[in-house]
Amino acid sequence: MTWLVILLCFLGYMAAHIADISVQNQRLMDNELINLLLKLRNEEFYDTLLVYGKDCEFHSVIKNVDVAVVLVSDSMNFEWNFSSLTLILSCGPDIDNGGPNSTSIKLQRNRRLVLLKEDFQPSNICNIYTQKEQYNIALVRENFTKSKSIYTCRYFQDPNVDEVNLSGTKPIFIEQFQNMKGKAIKIVPDLLPPRVMVYQDANDGELKMIGYVANLITNFAQKVNATLQLDFLKPSKSITEISRMAKDDELDMGITLEASLNTSNLETSSYPYLLTSYCLMVQVPAKFPYNLVYALIVDPLVLGIIFVLFLLLSVLLIYSQKMSCRDLSVANILLNDKSLRGLLGQSFPFPLNASKKLRLIFTILCFASIMLTTMYEAYLQSFFTDPPSEPHIRSFKDIGKLRHKTIITAIEANVLISTNNTQFLDIPKKHLCIYENWRDWLAMRDTFNLSYNYLVTEDRWSSYAEQQKLFKTPLFYYSNDLCFSRMIFLSIPLRRHLPYRHLFDEHMMRQQEFGLVNYWKSHSFFDMVRLRLTPLKDLSQPTVYNPSLLMEDISWIMKIYFVAISLSVFCFTMEIGWDKWKRWRD
Ligand SMILES: *[C@@H]1O[C@H](CO)[C@@H](O)[C@H](O)[C@H]1NC(C)=O
Ligand SMILES: *[C@@H]1O[C@H](CO)[C@@H](O)[C@H](O)[C@H]1NC(C)=O
Ligand SMILES: *[C@@H]1O[C@H](CO)[C@@H](O)[C@H](O)[C@H]1NC(C)=O
Ligand SMILES: *[C@@H]1O[C@H](CO)[C@@H](O)[C@H](O)[C@H]1NC(C)=O
Ligand SMILES: *[C@@H]1O[C@H](CO)[C@@H](O)[C@H](O)[C@H]1NC(C)=O
Ligand SMILES: *[C@@H]1O[C@H](CO)[C@@H](O)[C@H](O)[C@H]1NC(C)=O
Ligand SMILES: *[C@@H]1O[C@H](CO)[C@@H](O)[C@H](O)[C@H]1NC(C)=O
Ligand SMILES: *[C@@H]1O[C@H](CO)[C@@H](O)[C@H](O)[C@H]1NC(C)=O
């Protein structure tokens, strides 16, 4: 009995083992492919497999790998919403056709493994994919189990196919655009200082670019060992032409910044480079002239309070002298000389044997007089040293009260209108001046022409602010209350299928991270001065002689004084005359 059990167990074990071996034999090809997939996963992680094409070996392999699989049989005509860590397995050399640009952009960089019939030439396939701007391609033949060799396309290598051994250590996919070996990048600069400034180098006579956008691109080209192929816009074209060229694949990178007000251009622009606001640059309100300073500090409300104080003190003085209301009359109250002199800080007779209450009231009077005279003294002296300025405008509703109109180019006006910018629509039409020629408009802004207020982004403002530090008095200020948008992302226009877009985005973020962009921005004004694009001088045209208070400014006080004196003389003579006349009649 025991022997039988042991024998049966042994037979069962043997049967299972033999079955296992035969399955293994069947799946030899699969095993090699699985090894390849594991090797690829070690090289760079993926969590999704996209299997493209009619039934082939890949379809049996994917049952044994534990990653998500997307099966596509004929067309890529859908929006790719799955993971970006995807490995594409292609059955046969057919290149997926059609599909929206968003899907092809998202999948452009992903690695692709193509299974070929034995008679296909790998170099042909590589050329076909290269024309489609897909560079991460590896090919295996159907006799892969025996040969164990993988063909990979190397774009920057001649001939462009490399054979890799599965058990070797050579990587199958490499970052091809890490070293572009002098390949040209087509760029079009907008030549707007301080973003991009082109100059001829004095040493080697070459055209060079600086500026906080140009530096980003030149550094990138240096990093990936590429050359820059410079193209210029025709002077008649506007800078939106660069975005148009990027959309139509006429350039690789535009050296300009475009605002992402429109989400439709996400495919043809980089990751946001700068975050900025877009506000008005308003003239600093004028200071009040010196001859108005006195009128400024004589506030009617304060005068009223002083007058009420004077009346109260007069009533108290008269009442507490005799502790009775007998002497209270309008003339006594209004023309109380003690109270008046006291408030004006003058001396006045202090009655002998004054009661305690009266002394208390005199104390109050003296205190009030000290407060009043010192307050006005301080006010007057500080305003004479630095006269106050006219009020700042704080909302778009009041913008009509600004002394100067706001000038805007037709291009910007159209963008603001088409995006339904409520702030812009709030501005009264008669306050706006829409200007067609944007180059003239820029020149006016750059020379701080005081005829208008201007629109400016904060990044451009930073160099104006730097320039204004040279001025005796600043001419403009950046109004944080009058903003059309407080958050604008500025990005670089790129061609839709730019194969090194990911390298460029990463490079851009690194430059930001190291603070280089802020450094360039802070230096941009001095770069402009160095290239003689802006003068290093005070454009505020300071007046040499700043007239202070003149005799004629206070002449009206004298005039009023003379009128009052003449009036009193007239009253006095009338009174004497009236008295004489009455006596003569009696
Ligand atoms: C992907 O997302 C878009 C927008 O959310 C949707 O219209 C589209 O149907 C999705 N595609 C797939 C294949 O789910
Ligand atoms: C897709 O890209 C091509 C060129 O890259 C362009 O001509 C075409 O208009 C784009 N399609 C869409 C729907 O944007
Ligand atoms: C695999 O196929 C290719 C092309 O037909 C041939 O050149 C190569 O020798 C084959 N490899 C093996 C190991 O049979
Ligand atoms: C692959 O590499 C291994 C070790 O590096 C070597 O033994 C083998 O012969 C190579 N195979 C081919 C086909 O080159
Ligand atoms: C950069 O590209 C040039 C070709 O333009 C090449 O000769 C050089 O070796 C490359 N530099 C590096 C570091 O690979
Ligand atoms: C946004 O894109 C649409 C479609 O491309 C275009 O009609 C519109 O003028 C664009 N708006 C702006 C402000 O650029
Ligand atoms: C702009 O606003 C008007 C009225 O509020 C509305 O009819 C129109 O559709 C809006 N346009 C856009 C592009 O949002
Ligand atoms: C400012 O612009 C106005 C209007 O274009 C022009 O008449 C004036 O000469 C300019 N002023 C200066 C200082 O350039």
Side-chain angles (χ1 to χ4, degrees):
M1 210 38 205
T2 320
W3 280 109
L4 192 63
V5 171
I6 291 173
L7 191 69
L8 280 179
C9 283
F10 182 71
L11 281 180
Y13 172 75
M14 280 304 287
H17 199 69
I18 288 165
D20 206 27
I21 287 170
S22 64
V23 168
Q24 269 182 8
N25 274 338
Q26 276 173 8
R27 295 205 176 147
L28 208 59
M29 170 80 173
D30 295 4
N31 271 345
E32 292 301 331
L33 279 180
I34 288 177
N35 282 343
L36 177 56
L37 291 186
L38 289 178
K39 184 177 160 87
L40 288 178
R41 196 168 180 170
N42 275 344
E43 270 186 19
E44 188 185 324
F45 182 77
Y46 57 85
D47 59 8
T48 307
L49 286 173
L50 165 63
V51 185
Y52 177 78
K54 300 276 177 318
D55 212 23
C56 69
E57 299 289 343
F58 288 141
H59 288 79
S60 55
V61 173
I62 51 176
K63 295 187 192 105
N64 302 324
V65 267
D66 59 341
V67 288
V69 176
V70 180
L71 292 175
V72 178
S73 62
D74 47 0
S75 139
M76 293 285 258
N77 207 350
F78 61 90
E79 179 118 4
W80 180 259
N81 290 350
F82 307 100
S83 162
S84 58
L85 300 174
T86 299
L87 177 70
I88 306 174
L89 303 177
S90 241
C91 300
D94 303 339
I95 291 183
D96 32 76
N97 45 6
N101 281 336
S102 56
T103 298
S104 55
I105 290 172
K106 281 179 198 162
L107 291 179
Q108 183 185 15
R109 216 207 125 222
N110 291 97
R111 296 168 296 163
R112 178 186 292 259
L113 185 65
V114 184
L115 186 66
L116 287 183
K117 291 259 178 314
E118 292 188 12
D119 48 346
F120 273 97
Q121 270 308 312
S123 59
N124 290 350
I125 310 287
C126 283
N127 287 341
I128 295 172
Y129 275 106
T130 302
Q131 271 155 24
K132 281 269 180 179
E133 298 210 73
Q134 295 186 359
Y135 298 96
N136 278 338
I137 310 290
L139 312 142
V140 286
R141 286 217 167 94
E142 276 182 348
N143 66 1
F144 173 63
T145 331
K146 279 183 258 157
S147 68
K148 294 197 177 156
S149 55
I150 304 144
Y151 305 90
T152 83
C153 305
R154 300 276 193 252
Y155 180 51
F156 291 101
Q157 181 178 307
D158 221 18
N160 63 352
V161 183
D162 203 5
E163 198 175 334
V164 179
N165 188 338
L166 177 60
S167 42
T169 51
K170 223 164 144 186
I172 298 172
F173 291 103
I174 55 168
E175 182 53 81
Q176 316 219 24
F177 290 89
Q178 206 79 59
N179 182 356
M180 289 175 37
K181 305 210 170 142
K183 185 177 162 24
I185 301 178
K186 260 170 92 176
I187 53 169
V188 179
D190 65 4
L191 300 182
L192 286 185
R195 294 175 186 169
V196 188
M197 295 169 273
V198 174
Y199 66 99
Q200 196 144 24
D201 195 40
N203 295 332
D204 51 11
E206 274 181 48
L207 272 190
K208 297 219 166 136
M209 294 189 299
I210 49 168
Y212 57 83
V213 181
N215 287 351
L216 176 78
I217 311 253
T218 46
N219 285 0
F220 176 69
Q222 221 166 33
K223 183 179 165 194
V224 299
N225 194 17
T227 50
L228 292 174
Q229 181 190 333
L230 213 61
D231 254 347
F232 291 102
L233 278 183
K234 292 198 185 72
S236 57
K237 300 278 189 193
S238 90
I239 35 172
T240 49
E241 178 73 3
I242 297 183
S243 305
R244 206 260 323 140
M245 289 171 88
K247 278 198 180 65
D248 293 348
D249 293 352
E250 289 173 21
L251 49 78
D252 288 326
M253 292 177 171
I255 311 199
T256 182
L257 291 174
E258 62 179 9
S260 48
L261 289 172
N262 217 347
T263 48
S264 68
N265 61 8
L266 284 184
E267 283 173 7
T268 54
S269 61
S270 69
Y271 191 83
Y273 180 45
L274 295 176
L275 174 62
T276 185
S277 58
Y278 185 47
C279 306
L280 272 188
M281 157 178 162
V282 182
Q283 281 176 38
V284 174
K287 300 240 160 158
F288 278 103
Y290 285 113
N291 57 3
L292 284 187
V293 165
Y294 188 74
L296 273 182
I297 65 172
V298 186
D299 191 67
L301 180 68
V302 179
L303 276 191
I305 292 174
I306 293 174
F307 184 65
V308 170
L309 190 70
F310 165 71
L311 293 185
L312 273 178
L313 285 172
S314 311
V315 169
L316 282 176
L317 274 180
I318 295 165
Y319 175 77
S320 48
Q321 239 159 15
K322 301 216 174 109
M323 298 307 277
S324 78
C325 299
R326 224 164 359 103
D327 288 345
L328 281 181
S329 68
V330 174
N332 273 354
I333 294 174
L334 280 185
L335 300 177
N336 192 306
D337 67 321
K338 278 183 195 153
S339 170
L340 187 67
R341 282 195 266 171
L343 277 187
L344 291 180
Q346 307 288 318
S347 55
F348 56 88
F350 197 90
L352 292 172
N353 306 326
S355 68
K356 272 184 196 147
K357 290 188 185 97
L358 199 58
R359 283 185 204 171
L360 214 60
I361 289 164
F362 278 128
T363 316
I364 294 176
L365 184 62
C366 292
F367 184 71
S369 104
I370 286 180
M371 294 305 290
L372 272 182
T373 46
T374 50
M375 180 184 81
Y376 269 103
E377 191 95 344
Y379 234 145
L380 201 61
Q381 284 181 1
S382 59
F383 275 13
F384 271 133
T385 349
D386 186 18
S389 45
E390 285 161 14
H392 288 238
I393 297 295
R394 301 230 173 263
S395 82
F396 278 95
K397 296 230 159 46
D398 300 335
I399 203 168
K401 291 185 195 155
L402 285 178
R403 272 188 302 160
H404 298 284
K405 285 187 178 181
T406 298
I407 189 166
I408 180 171
T409 59
I411 305 170
E412 282 178 306
N414 287 342
V415 171
L416 288 171
I417 290 169
S418 73
T419 50
N420 253 1
N421 190 296
T422 46
Q423 286 89 345
F424 183 69
L425 300 176
D426 265 355
I427 301 181
K429 284 284 159 297
K430 64 178 193 315
H431 178 76
L432 274 180
C433 177
I434 293 182
Y435 205 70
E436 285 295 334
N437 188 335
W438 62 275
R439 283 188 198 274
D440 285 356
W441 174 82
L442 267 182
M444 270 161 79
R445 195 176 72 177
D446 287 347
T447 51
F448 292 86
N449 188 320
L450 288 171
S451 312
Y452 300 102
N453 299 312
Y454 305 89
L455 271 74
V456 69
T457 53
E458 200 181 358
D459 65 303
R460 180 67 181 95
W461 170 256
S462 62
S463 62
Y464 284 139
E466 191 69 39
Q467 185 169 8
Q468 287 208 102
K469 286 184 188 161
L470 291 174
F471 295 2
K472 189 156 181 282
T473 50
L475 296 177
F476 286 88
Y477 71 98
Y478 189 69
S479 170
N480 276 316
D481 301 305
L482 302 175
C483 285
F484 297 100
S485 172
R486 285 177 205 282
M487 196 154 80
I488 291 194
F489 294 105
L490 296 177
S491 32
I492 314 266
L494 300 180
R495 188 160 60 83
R496 205 174 256 114
H497 289 283
L498 195 72
Y500 37 89
R501 172 189 288 263
H502 60 286
L503 291 180
F504 180 66
D505 284 345
E506 189 199 319
H507 168 75
M508 194 163 73
M509 287 186 247
R510 291 241 167 123
Q511 309 269 294
Q512 281 280 14
E513 195 178 33
F514 286 124
L516 277 176
V517 179
N518 284 341
Y519 172 76
W520 294 330
K521 270 165 69 179
S522 65
H523 260 239
S524 50
F525 170 62
F526 297 103
D527 288 338
M528 284 169 76
V529 172
R530 202 154 51 83
L531 299 182
R532 305 228 168 83
L533 292 170
T534 194
L536 189 68
K537 69 173 191 202
D538 188 350
L539 296 174
S540 67
Q541 297 149 345
T543 41
V544 183
Y545 170 66
N546 214 353
S548 53
L549 202 60
L550 299 176
M551 195 58 203
E552 54 209 73
D553 292 336
I554 49 170
S555 63
W556 58 276
I557 298 180
M558 289 299 177
K559 283 172 199 153
I560 292 175
Y561 178 67
F562 277 119
V563 170
I565 289 282
S566 342
L567 206 68
S568 346
V569 171
F570 175 70
C571 290
F572 185 60
T573 40
M574 282 301 283
E575 213 166 305
I576 292 174
W578 175 255
D579 210 40
K580 285 249 167 75
W581 184 69
K582 258 205 321 208
R583 260 192 229 157
W584 172 76
R585 229 182 47 170
D586 296 343

